[in-house]
């Protein structure tokens, strides 16, 4: 099979963390004889600086022709004042929609070695392993009409449209039911069906789908309650499926339960298994260029990429095991550091993962 990977370092800490992830990718490529070929391109603020647009045509063409994408992060204060249409985030959103990456998998796993980093009591989060399946190319993020207009009275109003078609709900629903089948068999669909019609339909479609997956136990929860339950008793969840905006919010909340947003990878998949892989955290401009960012979420994103898009499960597991090993050794970047461990830089963490891979 062809294994063509497009690397998009992006902005802020993006280039630093992607640099380490690439070293890991190169090593498993050699060790497992995967035949991976790499290309590099610009997206986000770095693309704006060079080409004036967040998603240059060349980048999009490479993105369309590759088998998988590895992205660092986009955005930063430097570009915050730009018009909405050409902000760095538009590069990310443009990739998601142009490549039809509708299914966003955001696992929240608590590494036992990092239990003390959670803001919740250890007994509430010990063993936490939940998966948020977020719809990524529809809903209020993309709904039309949208904009800011001036009313007859002269007052301005902003407006967006929360819209989901049945087919959009069905395809993300299927992905979530299938994920639940492979895990604990429990799926919680999160909506606001007590207020929003778009989510009344969402709930109906999820209920229809449930008949096709008798081995999965489907439940429903309103989004406000889901936010509360996530911080009250997060271990009640196995898989959560929800729309674009609710998923954006709940996945940040779930990530923080693990104490270390710097540890969590994500996958955004199309219908055929092509995907874009990125850490859940952002571009962290405050620490960019200092060599202190945690590269593990990006390294774990490489593992997800090998598993879901490149049919290289063995290599994926080797990376995940290496990450566990370096945590066992007490290696900690600043974001996950606690006393008694060894504080390391971005590159030292990369070195440690490479060494752990070699020692397996
Ligand atoms: C995310 C981010 C993006 C989103 C931003 C950067 C556009 O918050 O991936 O969760 O809102 O989807
Ligand atoms: Mg977000």
């Amino acid at each position: 099979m062809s294994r063509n990977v497009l690397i998009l370092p992006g902005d802020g800490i993006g280039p630093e963390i992607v640099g380490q992830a690439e070293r890991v990718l190169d090593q498993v490529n050699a060790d497992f004889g995967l035949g991976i070929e790499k290309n590099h391109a610009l997206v986000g603020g770095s693309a704006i600086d060079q080409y004036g647009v967040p998603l240059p045509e060349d980048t999009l063409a490479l993105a369309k022709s590759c088998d998988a994408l590895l992205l660092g992060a986009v955005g930063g204060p430097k570009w915050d004042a730009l018009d909405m249409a050409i902000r760095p985030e538009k590069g990310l959103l443009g990739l998601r929609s142009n490549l039809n990456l509708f299914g966003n998998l955001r696992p929240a796993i608590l590494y036992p070695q990092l239990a003390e980093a959670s803001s919740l009591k250890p007994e509430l989060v010990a063993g936490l392993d939940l998966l948020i399946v977020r719809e990524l190319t529809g809903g209020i993020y993309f709904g039309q009409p949208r904009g800011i207009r001036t009313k007859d009275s002269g007052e301005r109003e902003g407006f967006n449209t929360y819209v989901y078609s049945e087919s959009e709900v069905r395809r993300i629903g299927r992905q979530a039911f299938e994920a639940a089948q492979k895990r604990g068999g429990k799926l919680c669909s999160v909506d606001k069906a007590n207020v929003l019609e778009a989510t009344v339909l969402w709930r109906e479609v999820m209920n229809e789908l449930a008949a096709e997956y008798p081995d999965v136990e489907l439940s429903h929860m309103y989004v406000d309650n889901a936010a509360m339950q996530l911080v009250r008793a997060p271990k009640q969840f196995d898989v959560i499926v929800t729309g674009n905006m609710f998923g954006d919010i709940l996945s940040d909340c779930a990530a923080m339960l693990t104490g270390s947003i710097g540890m969590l990878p994500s996958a955004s998949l199309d219908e055929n298994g092509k995907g874009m892989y990125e850490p859940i955290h952002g571009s962290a401009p405050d620490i960019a260029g200092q060599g202190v960012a945690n590269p593990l979420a990006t390294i774990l994103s490489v593992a997800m990429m090998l598993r879901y898009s490149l049919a290289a499960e063995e290599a994926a597991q080797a990376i995940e095991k290496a990450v566990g090993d370096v945590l066992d050794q007490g290696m900690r970047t600043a974001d996950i550091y606690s006393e008694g461990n060894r504080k390391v830089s971005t590159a030292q963490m990369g070195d440690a993962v490479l060494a752990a891979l070699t020692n397996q």
Side-chain angles (χ1 to χ4, degrees), residues 31-321:
D31 288 353
F32 292 85
L34 298 175
I36 290 172
E37 282 169 37
K38 297 188 298 181
N39 278 301
H40 294 80
L42 294 177
V43 70
S46 53
I48 295 172
D49 288 349
Q50 189 139 342
Y51 301 104
V53 289
L55 181 54
E57 270 171 38
D58 288 356
T59 300
L60 185 57
L62 283 168
K64 283 185 174 162
S65 67
C66 71
D67 301 301
L69 300 87
L70 180 68
L71 175 80
V74 297
K78 182 175 173 195
W79 306 281
D80 274 354
L82 289 176
D83 189 80
M84 268 291 257
I86 55 154
R87 283 176 56 135
E89 289 79 1
K90 280 285 175 196
L92 184 60
L93 296 170
L95 282 171
R96 288 174 181 172
S97 66
N98 276 289
L99 302 178
N100 248 317
L101 305 173
F102 66 88
N104 186 209
L105 309 182
R106 299 193 161 186
I109 295 166
L110 185 101
Y111 285 82
Q113 300 96 325
L114 303 178
E116 75 277 11
S118 176
S119 48
L120 293 192
K121 296 191 198 89
E123 64 268 27
L124 288 182
V125 290
L128 181 73
D129 177 359
L130 70 88
L131 175 68
I132 296 190
V133 179
R134 168 189 175 193
E135 201 291 326
L136 204 58
T137 52
I140 197 165
Y141 269 51
F142 293 93
Q144 295 289 346
R146 63 190 294 160
I148 300 173
R149 62 192 166 205
T150 306
K151 297 194 288 184
D152 292 343
S153 65
E155 190 192 8
R156 290 182 308 153
E157 66 182 3
F159 58 101
N160 290 88
T161 303
Y162 193 130
V163 56
Y164 270 118
S165 65
E166 284 181 271
S167 57
E168 282 177 305
V169 181
R170 207 168 288 121
R171 67 181 185 177
I172 192 68
R174 283 194 195 290
Q175 208 172 64
F177 273 101
E178 278 159 30
Q181 275 179 327
K182 291 187 200 129
R183 294 173 40 106
K186 274 170 51 182
L187 177 61
C188 179
S189 171
V190 171
D191 61 37
K192 189 70 186 171
N194 51 344
V195 179
L196 303 175
E197 286 81 355
T199 69
V200 172
L201 180 67
W202 173 284
R203 191 178 280 220
E204 269 178 41
V205 174
M206 289 295 166
N207 279 328
E208 285 164 22
L209 275 178
E212 294 176 38
Y213 299 90
D215 49 340
V216 175
E217 182 195 319
L218 173 70
S219 61
H220 302 278
M221 203 179 271
Y222 297 140
V223 63
D224 49 349
N225 186 24
M228 180 177 78
Q229 296 299 333
L230 268 176
V231 292
R232 193 188 72 89
K235 282 193 275 181
Q236 69 186 283
F237 297 108
D238 176 20
V239 180
I240 290 175
V241 62
T242 190
N244 207 341
M245 179 169 58
F246 298 159
D248 178 45
I249 299 165
L250 294 180
S251 62
D252 263 28
C253 177
M256 200 55 224
L257 297 177
T258 70
S260 46
I261 200 163
M263 293 294 302
L264 299 177
S266 74
S268 306
L269 301 170
D270 76 0
E271 208 99 45
N272 306 312
K274 173 169 175 167
M276 180 158 75
Y277 298 82
E278 54 182 310
I280 272 183
H281 60 72
S283 59
D286 53 322
I287 57 163
Q290 297 173 23
V292 297
N294 186 349
L296 292 179
T298 318
I299 289 171
L300 289 166
S301 298
V302 171
M304 278 188 109
M305 177 171 83
L306 292 163
R307 170 169 299 127
Y308 288 108
S309 292
L310 303 180
E313 175 65 29
E314 232 186 314
Q317 285 183 18
I319 292 174
E320 286 164 351
K321 179 169 183 315

Side-chain angles (χ1 to χ4, degrees), residues 20 23-25 27 322 326 349-359:
Q20 298 308 316
R23 293 173 70 202
V24 171
L25 179 63
Q27 175 142 341
V326 302
M349 189 60 109
D351 292 343
V353 173
L354 289 180
L357 273 172
T358 307
N359 290 332

